[in-house]
Amino acid sequence: MAQSKKNYLITLEEYIIRSQNRFNGATGELSQLLRDIGLAAKIVSREVNKAGITNLLGQYGSQNVHGESVKKLDVFADDQIKSALARSGIVSMMISEESNELIRLESSSGKYIVFFDPLDGSSNIDVNVSVGTIFSIYRRKSPRNKSPKESDALQPGDSQAAAGYVLYGSSTMLVYTTGIGVSSFTLDPSIGEFMLSDDDIRIPELHPQYSINEGNASGWPEGVRAYIDHIKKVDAGTMRPYSLRYIGSMVSDLHRTLLLGGIFLYPPNVSNPKGKLRLMYECNPMGYIIEQAGGLAVDGKGRVLEVVPESIHQTAPVYMGSRKNVEELMEFLNGKK
Ligand code: P6P
């Protein structure tokens, strides 16, 4: 869908419906689900942007399945997204970072399975650093007249029907893909609508910027250490040394990487020998978006979207961003450099 750069007054709802017409046999269910997620995002955005006033900051006094302290906004966001998905009537199972078990919905005939991280990067909330919501949508494979099975949730990332994120930053943005490119929308709070910002985001194929928590360097695999040492050396001809940008909020770090290029890395380390980021609701949805924009997402051995999951909360090492940046890292990981 070619858009003139001059007239972007297209709402998320209008864009979704127009895009749906590009899919033969589209029933409108995925469109409805994306609109429902968009509504939940508006409600979460309102609370995130005034949390300091409405006393939603601070600890909720509990811990999530991973032993991480839960913030009040985490709970609010989790509740809003769960109710939006349950109301849709087209979701038969959902998995949240905040819930230990998968959640089957009464409307078990629903076509979709949804993973989500309701408020990723929430440790940054109290210091007013951007946080985000991440979602990943699969089509169920088991018969729809029976209760969904766990196997419906354990599909590789390449099987995603859609994926996206909401970034609650200086502006609230929603970015998603249904497999035909990446589109972004900016919330106009004065009218309460997500307005189309870009209908075909393409990540630069190479950019001299990397994003990693250098504090974990002692636990990195040797190939990662060699790559990071390499990009820090001075060589103007290859744009080295690269710049380091690390916010510690995956959605923020990857939104910047998507728009500017470069590479985001979360390798295994001493505290997280299998990586820290969650395969199903962090690595796969963000990897799908990066690859749909022309980039590459790997786990150090191969494409992260090809990993066959064994459990709904499993973690994975992840390296994603501009294709040439990631390809060079893989040469170091494979001992070719
Ligand atoms: P570290 C936030 O807690 C998060 O899950 C991601 O959003 C972020 O990329 C990562 O963890 C940051 O982890 O170990 O660098 O603080």
Side-chain angles (χ1 to χ4, degrees):
M1 176 193 316
Q3 290 297 328
S4 85
K5 290 289 180 187
K6 296 172 188 161
N7 171 19
Y8 261 32
L9 291 180
I10 295 179
T11 65
L12 171 66
E13 284 73 9
E14 191 178 348
Y15 185 83
I16 288 172
I17 290 169
R18 288 187 186 189
S19 303
Q20 166 191 312
N21 297 335
R22 297 169 66 184
F23 289 95
N24 294 330
T27 61
E29 289 173 304
L30 183 58
S31 299
Q32 176 60 49
L33 183 51
L34 290 168
R35 288 198 298 273
D36 292 339
I37 292 171
L39 174 59
K42 291 181 202 175
I43 296 169
V44 173
S45 175
R46 183 187 63 200
E47 295 309 312
V48 166
N49 288 323
K50 65 179 185 181
I53 303 165
T54 57
N55 188 31
L56 274 172
L57 294 179
Q59 305 286 335
Y60 185 62
S62 65
Q63 291 191 334
N64 66 18
V65 297
H66 318 298
E68 296 162 342
S69 64
V70 175
K71 303 272 185 182
K72 290 178 182 176
L73 271 174
D74 271 345
V75 175
F76 178 82
D78 194 45
D79 291 346
Q80 289 304 318
I81 295 164
K82 278 177 182 164
S83 57
L85 297 179
R87 276 198 312 272
S88 72
I90 48 183
V91 174
S92 52
M93 192 155 63
M94 54 186 173
I95 301 94
S96 166
E97 184 196 31
E98 300 301 335
S99 306
N100 196 14
E101 302 301 327
L102 47 81
I103 301 164
R104 290 179 173 81
L105 294 167
E106 291 71 42
S107 59
S108 64
S109 63
K111 187 175 184 181
Y112 294 107
I113 313 289
V114 183
F115 285 85
F116 62 95
D117 185 349
L119 215 54
D120 180 76
S122 54
S123 54
N124 294 300
I125 289 174
D126 291 349
V127 292
N128 203 18
V129 169
S130 300
V131 294
T133 295
I134 310 173
F135 60 90
S136 172
I137 302 172
Y138 290 85
R139 292 177 188 83
R140 64 179 290 178
K141 295 162 60 175
S142 61
R144 289 177 59 180
N145 59 353
K146 293 182 180 173
S147 183
K149 298 177 180 172
E150 185 171 14
S151 57
D152 284 311
L154 298 177
Q155 301 181 50
D158 271 335
S159 301
Q160 292 173 96
Y165 61 83
V166 183
L167 177 58
Y168 309 102
S170 51
S171 63
T172 294
M173 291 196 76
L174 186 148
V175 178
Y176 82 89
T177 182
T178 57
I180 50 173
V182 180
S183 308
S184 67
F185 302 81
T186 303
L187 182 63
D188 180 340
S190 68
I191 57 173
E193 293 282 6
F194 278 108
M195 305 306 289
L196 181 66
S197 309
D198 195 331
D199 67 347
D200 185 19
I201 298 177
R202 305 299 296 170
I203 186 171
E205 64 172 9
L206 176 69
H207 185 65
Q209 197 168 84
Y210 71 109
S211 187
I212 192 170
N213 183 341
E214 288 261 7
N216 295 326
S218 61
W220 292 342
E222 185 45 43
V224 172
R225 191 197 320 276
Y227 172 71
I228 298 297
D229 289 346
H230 171 74
I231 59 177
K232 285 177 169 178
K233 288 187 171 61
V234 179
D235 177 19
T238 53
M239 302 187 285
R240 291 181 290 159
Y242 284 9
S243 297
L244 170 61
R245 295 286 184 276
Y246 193 70
I247 301 167
S249 171
M250 186 186 196
V251 173
S252 304
D253 282 316
L254 277 167
H255 185 68
R256 180 199 58 246
T257 303
L258 175 68
L259 298 187
L260 301 182
I263 183 170
F264 172 84
L265 309 92
Y266 208 105
N269 57 49
V270 172
S271 315
N272 304 281
K274 292 186 178 177
K276 173 185 181 183
L277 300 178
R278 309 290 162 181
L279 175 65
M280 300 309 290
Y281 42 83
E282 289 175 326
C283 302
N284 277 342
M286 301 310 286
Y288 189 25
I289 287 172
I290 289 289
E291 292 204 348
Q292 278 289 310
L296 184 58
V298 300
D299 65 354
K301 298 187 179 74
R303 289 177 62 242
V304 73
L305 298 179
E306 292 175 6
V307 173
V308 178
E310 295 170 1
S311 71
I312 56 176
H313 292 297
Q314 76 182 65
T315 63
V318 70
Y319 313 92
M320 60 174 93
S322 296
R323 179 166 293 277
K324 288 191 173 177
N325 290 78
V326 177
E327 286 170 348
E328 183 174 42
L329 165 71
M330 285 303 288
E331 289 180 324
F332 280 87
L333 292 179
N334 295 333
K336 293 176 182 170
K337 267 193 168 184

